């Protein structure tokens, strides 16, 4: 009998995601794949026309568990290596109650700022934790203590399942997960990231592009991305006018000082075809980000896994900070060994040396090793070529 794999996701998938997240790859290897979207369990969001993948409530979750054969294996893109917050822990509790197994593939790692806490007393540890609590809203405060309680329960009880396998690059996210969950790091299977998979497939099928006088902006649909509302509770339209004014000023400065044409690589979940082009009629492209990064001379981005494409292609990367940016954006720029410009401080743009930026030397060696391409995994194999045969044996 073919192995049944159930992929767990927080959010609904875009048309490109079944390929990115391995459903198509595993089906090509003979697995029977399905995916569940768990967003309704985490929030009040309900789709107007839910597809069969939407898990609408806890009774629906239990019904789905009961209908599966006992040998089914869950592929966890829901909680992954992160701490479980809110009702997330209940999903795994129910999984354990039904006797199912799961694996964690960590395919899109990004830097985190929290260092691994060593054993013993650490100077200033209490004061730093106290400072971290300041400014937490009610939801985040509740999530923080829920995650701490879950960690205690994981260590003291058997109510949660342990992953039968973890696939990951070697970075601080993995270190933190292994420490907190007492998972032996030597049992982790090294893999590459999904962005390296995309890069590898592109490199093996496309002649190297000739550089063009182009700067690519890796758009995040900052003004209308649905995740901002569904997950973070933020209104993506709030501040849109101010955001676009700052970004368009940056793009204008780049064009005037470098002679490069700024092209907007639209986020896969963007809706500019419906909302219109807010980037002063600059060219918008969608579904061809790799091609444009390859032929570019400079890349601009915020906080996104897609910054890895700039690193893999060796392009000078400028990280733009704006109000509402992810709090770890500065950490990302530091790990990439690249420049960050704070657009909330107009004087920074006035004095930033954009003229020479497209010619600056890059060194992404450390970032590639820890977040994109594992030195312990076969360089010419995709993550699903590495993971697939192992999943079919579990």
């Amino acid at each position: 009998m073919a192995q049944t794999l159930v992929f767990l996701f927080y959010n609904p998938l875009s048309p490109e995601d079944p390929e990115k997240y391995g459903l198509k790859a595993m089906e090509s290897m003979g697995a029977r794949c399905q995916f569940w979207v768990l967003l309704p369990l985490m929030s009040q969001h309900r789709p107007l026309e839910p597809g069969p993948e939407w898990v609408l409530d806890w009774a629906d979750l239990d019904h789905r568990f009961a209908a599966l054969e006992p040998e089914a294996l869950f592929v966890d893109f829901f909680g992954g290596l992160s701490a479980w917050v809110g009702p997330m822990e209940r999903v795994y509790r129910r999984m354990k109650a039904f006797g199912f197994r799961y694996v964690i593939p960590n395919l899109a790692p990004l830097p985190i700022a929290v260092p691994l806490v060593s054993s013993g007393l650490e100077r200033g540890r209490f004061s730093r934790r106290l400072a971290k609590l300041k400014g937490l809203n009610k939801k985040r405060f509740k999530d923080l203590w829920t995650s701490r309680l879950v960690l205690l329960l994981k260590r003291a009880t058997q109510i949660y399942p342990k992953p039968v396998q973890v696939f990951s690059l070697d970075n601080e996210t993995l270190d933190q997960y292994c420490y907190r969950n007492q998972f032996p790091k030597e049992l982790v299977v090294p893999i590459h990231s999904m962005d390296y998979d995309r890069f590898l497939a592109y490199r093996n099928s496309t002649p190297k592009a000739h550089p063009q006088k182009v700067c690519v902006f890796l758009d995040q649909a900052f003004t209308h991305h649905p995740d901002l509302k569904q997950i973070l509770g933020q209104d993506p339209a709030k501040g849109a006018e101010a955001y676009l004014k700052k970004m368009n000023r940056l793009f204008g400065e780049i064009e005037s000082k470098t002679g490069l044409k700024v092209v907007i690589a639209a986020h896969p979940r963007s809706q500019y075809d419906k909302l219109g082009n807010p980037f002063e009629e600059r060219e918008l492209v969608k579904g061809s980000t790799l091609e444009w990064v390859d032929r570019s001379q400079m890349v601009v981005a915020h906080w996104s896994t897609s910054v890895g494409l700039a690193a893999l292609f060796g392009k000078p990367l400028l990280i733009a900070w704006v109000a509402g940016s992810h709090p770890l954006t500065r950490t990302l720029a530091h790990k990439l060994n690249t420049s960050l410009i704070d657009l909330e401080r107009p004087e920074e743009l006035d004095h930033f040396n954009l003229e020479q930026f497209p010619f600056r030397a890059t060194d992404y060696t450390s970032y590639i090793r820890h977040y994109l391409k594992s030195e312990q995994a076969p360089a010419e194999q995709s993550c699903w070529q590495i993971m697939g045969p192992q999943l079919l044996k579990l």
Side-chain angles (χ1 to χ4, degrees):
M1 176 183 284
Q3 171 70 288
T4 296
L5 300 177
V6 183
F7 290 70
L8 297 180
F9 294 97
Y10 198 120
N11 284 309
L13 303 189
S14 69
E16 302 84 10
D17 285 345
E19 182 170 357
K20 285 172 57 179
Y21 287 97
L23 280 81
K24 290 186 177 180
M26 293 311 303
E27 286 174 345
S28 71
M29 298 180 197
R32 292 184 297 156
C33 299
Q34 55 180 284
F35 67 95
W36 300 355
V37 176
L38 303 178
L39 177 60
L41 304 182
M42 303 298 112
S43 71
Q44 300 301 314
H45 180 81
R46 296 292 184 275
L48 296 176
E49 298 180 1
E53 71 275 11
W54 286 84
V55 180
L56 298 176
D57 52 39
W58 295 105
D60 184 19
L61 180 67
D62 279 358
H63 176 77
R64 289 167 182 263
F65 278 139
L68 285 172
E69 61 268 25
E71 296 78 17
L73 181 68
F74 284 82
V75 182
D76 181 16
F77 289 108
F78 173 61
L81 298 184
S82 62
W84 297 345
V85 296
M88 293 179 79
E89 60 85 24
R90 186 174 174 183
V91 173
Y92 298 92
R93 232 182 329 126
R94 300 309 299 151
M95 184 189 295
K96 177 65 179 287
F98 280 90
F100 287 111
R101 304 162 304 145
Y102 78 107
V103 300
I104 300 176
N106 185 32
L107 304 187
L110 280 167
I112 59 174
V114 180
L116 182 65
V117 178
S118 59
S119 59
L121 295 176
E122 186 181 335
R123 182 181 298 177
R125 179 174 166 185
F126 177 77
S127 61
R128 281 195 295 274
R129 286 189 173 184
L130 188 63
K132 186 179 176 182
L133 291 176
K134 292 182 179 180
L136 288 179
N137 60 33
K138 185 177 180 180
K139 179 182 182 303
R140 292 192 176 186
F141 185 84
K142 182 178 179 182
D143 286 346
L144 175 66
W145 289 106
T146 298
S147 67
R148 296 292 188 270
L149 177 60
V150 168
L151 282 176
L152 289 174
L153 290 173
K154 282 183 176 181
R155 295 180 179 183
T157 73
Q158 301 295 321
I159 64 174
Y160 300 114
K162 292 185 178 180
V164 295
Q165 190 66 73
V166 172
F167 302 88
S168 179
L169 285 116
D170 186 4
N171 50 53
E172 72 275 17
T173 304
L174 177 66
D175 289 340
Q176 188 176 79
Y177 175 84
C178 290
Y179 172 79
R180 288 179 169 177
N181 295 274
Q182 299 178 331
F183 189 91
K185 191 173 178 182
E186 60 270 16
L187 299 182
V188 175
V189 176
I191 56 166
H192 309 303
S193 71
M194 65 172 64
D195 279 326
Y196 180 74
D197 281 9
R198 295 168 63 198
F199 171 79
L200 184 65
Y202 174 83
R203 190 194 67 187
N204 290 340
S205 63
T206 309
K208 183 172 177 58
H210 296 290
Q212 298 181 14
K213 292 187 71 64
V214 166
C215 168
V216 176
F217 171 53
L218 303 179
D219 171 56
Q220 283 187 253
F222 216 98
T223 61
H224 63 279
H225 197 299
D227 287 358
L228 293 175
K229 187 68 173 178
Q230 294 173 4
I231 300 178
L232 303 178
Q234 300 175 0
D235 182 357
K238 186 178 181 181
E241 183 177 350
Y243 166 77
L244 292 168
K245 182 178 180 180
K246 292 163 190 167
M247 294 306 298
N248 282 320
R249 182 184 175 221
L250 171 62
F251 299 153
E253 290 291 305
I254 290 172
E255 288 170 335
S256 65
K257 293 182 177 179
T258 68
L260 302 180
K261 170 188 172 183
V262 174
V263 173
I264 314 298
H267 189 277
R269 298 182 72 184
S270 64
Q271 300 177 20
Y272 296 119
D273 54 336
K274 299 177 182 178
L275 301 174
N277 185 345
F279 297 106
E280 297 181 346
E281 301 307 315
R282 292 182 173 90
E283 184 175 0
L284 271 166
V285 296
K286 195 172 184 178
S288 55
T289 301
L290 277 88
E291 292 88 336
W292 281 100
V293 173
D294 186 15
R295 67 182 66 150
S296 72
Q297 295 184 29
M298 174 181 170
V299 177
V300 177
H302 300 303
W303 164 273
S304 169
T305 57
S306 293
V307 298
L309 298 178
L312 290 166
F313 283 107
K315 305 294 180 175
L317 172 65
L318 177 62
I319 301 294
W321 169 273
V322 292
S325 290
H326 193 286
L328 295 181
T329 301
R330 296 180 187 276
T331 300
L332 178 65
H334 173 72
K335 292 285 186 178
L336 282 157
N337 192 31
T338 196
S339 296
L340 179 142
I341 185 167
D342 186 348
L343 298 183
E344 299 303 314
R345 296 163 55 90
E347 64 274 15
E348 283 201 16
L349 184 53
D350 293 335
H351 298 100
F352 197 90
N353 185 8
L354 285 170
E355 291 88 345
Q356 296 302 314
F357 198 85
F359 309 104
R360 67 176 293 172
T362 61
D363 182 8
Y364 300 125
T365 306
S366 177
Y367 190 87
I368 290 173
R369 180 190 309 124
H370 293 295
Y371 305 100
L372 297 168
K373 179 179 179 288
S374 172
E375 293 182 336
Q376 285 74 47
E380 295 302 315
Q381 288 188 15
S382 71
C383 57
W384 291 103
Q385 288 173 323
I386 298 169
M387 288 192 295
Q390 299 195 42
L391 294 182
L392 296 177
K393 293 177 183 177
L394 290 174

